[in-house]
């Protein structure tokens, strides 16, 4: 578990606990919490961000390097965000870079990760810096594909420094 302290002045949440799910047993135990989160968010996350799609994809394809990053706020038992991802390596100019992308690409046309309403601006920078970059040693993140009206896409574009984000269309 990775704990990120969130300054109380910027958010109603005191801290975020991130858990990295890498086994089928851990994944299966997430089913009810993921479904509860998906049912509580205002934005339609769609089938491709559901526990059911992710379960079918993982159990059928058995991909190497899959992870589900789950965020919990203030000791809650129900997740506040879920990110199903897969790692891979990019080789360029004799160097290797660890990369992550949404699980299920190329089958999905877009994704909206289930994230509790009102916390994207606090959660996403912590996810990117504390979990992906520091803990998982991610060099490159292909975070999407998003629709241009995606709340996650808009939060990333509006809150991250311009030198930390590149958008591809």
């Amino acid at each position: 578990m990775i704990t990120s302290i969130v300054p109380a002045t910027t958010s109603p949440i005191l801290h975020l606990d991130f858990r990295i799910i890498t086994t089928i047993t851990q994944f299966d135990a997430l089913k009810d919490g993921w479904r509860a989160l998906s049912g509580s968010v205002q934005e339609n996350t769609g089938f491709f961000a559901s526990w059911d799609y992710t379960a079918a994809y993982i159990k059928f394809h058995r991909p190497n390097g899959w992870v589900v990053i789950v965020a919990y706020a203030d000791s809650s038992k129900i997740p506040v965000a879920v990110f199903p991802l897969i790692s891979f390596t990019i080789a360029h100019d004799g160097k290797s870079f660890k990369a992550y992308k949404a699980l299920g690409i190329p089958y999905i046309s877009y994704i909206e990760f289930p994230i509790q309403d009102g916390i994207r601006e606090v959660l996403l920078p912590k996810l990117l810096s504390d979990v992906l970059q520091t803990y998982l040693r991610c060099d490159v993140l292909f975070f999407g594909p998003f629709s241009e009206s995606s709340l996650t896409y808009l939060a990333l574009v509006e809150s991250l420094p311009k030198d930390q984000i590149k958008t591809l269309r």
Side-chain angles (χ1 to χ4, degrees):
M1 179 167 37
I2 303 134
T3 299
S4 292
I5 305 300
V6 177
T9 56
T10 63
S11 170
I13 358 184
L14 298 177
H15 71 276
L16 292 165
D17 290 324
F18 291 92
R19 297 188 186 138
I20 311 299
I21 306 298
T22 59
T23 70
I24 293 296
T25 303
Q26 293 170 324
F27 177 79
D28 286 344
L30 183 59
K31 179 179 181 178
D32 292 339
W34 189 334
R35 284 181 170 173
L37 170 63
S38 294
S40 72
V41 297
Q42 288 181 350
E43 186 170 36
N44 179 8
T45 57
F47 177 66
F48 294 113
S50 71
W51 182 91
D52 298 282
Y53 171 76
T54 306
Y57 187 89
I58 290 171
K59 291 174 183 179
F60 180 77
H61 291 286
R62 300 192 184 278
N64 290 324
W66 69 269
V67 299
V68 178
I69 301 171
V70 186
Y72 295 88
D74 299 328
S75 302
S76 173
K77 301 291 183 209
I78 296 178
V80 295
V82 178
F83 302 92
L85 304 172
I86 189 163
S87 69
F88 60 102
T89 302
I90 298 172
H92 180 71
D93 287 340
K95 297 179 184 174
S96 292
F97 301 92
K98 188 173 184 181
Y100 285 85
K101 64 182 177 181
L103 187 69
I105 293 175
Y107 299 110
I108 59 178
S109 54
Y110 74 93
I111 191 164
E112 184 61 48
F113 297 102
I115 302 172
Q116 182 180 352
D117 299 322
I119 67 165
R120 279 179 181 79
E121 291 76 14
V122 172
L123 181 130
L124 291 171
K126 293 294 184 182
L127 170 75
L128 296 174
S129 66
D130 296 355
V131 180
L132 286 160
Q133 189 174 29
T134 303
Y135 184 77
L136 293 176
R137 303 283 187 223
C138 176
D139 298 307
V140 179
L141 175 64
F142 295 95
F143 211 39
F146 295 120
S147 72
E148 289 189 6
S149 63
S150 160
L151 295 178
T152 302
Y153 170 78
L154 295 173
L156 286 168
V157 169
E158 291 172 8
S159 66
L160 289 178
K162 299 295 181 218
D163 64 337
Q164 291 184 1
I165 188 168
K166 303 286 185 228
T167 58
L168 304 173
R169 296 177 192 244

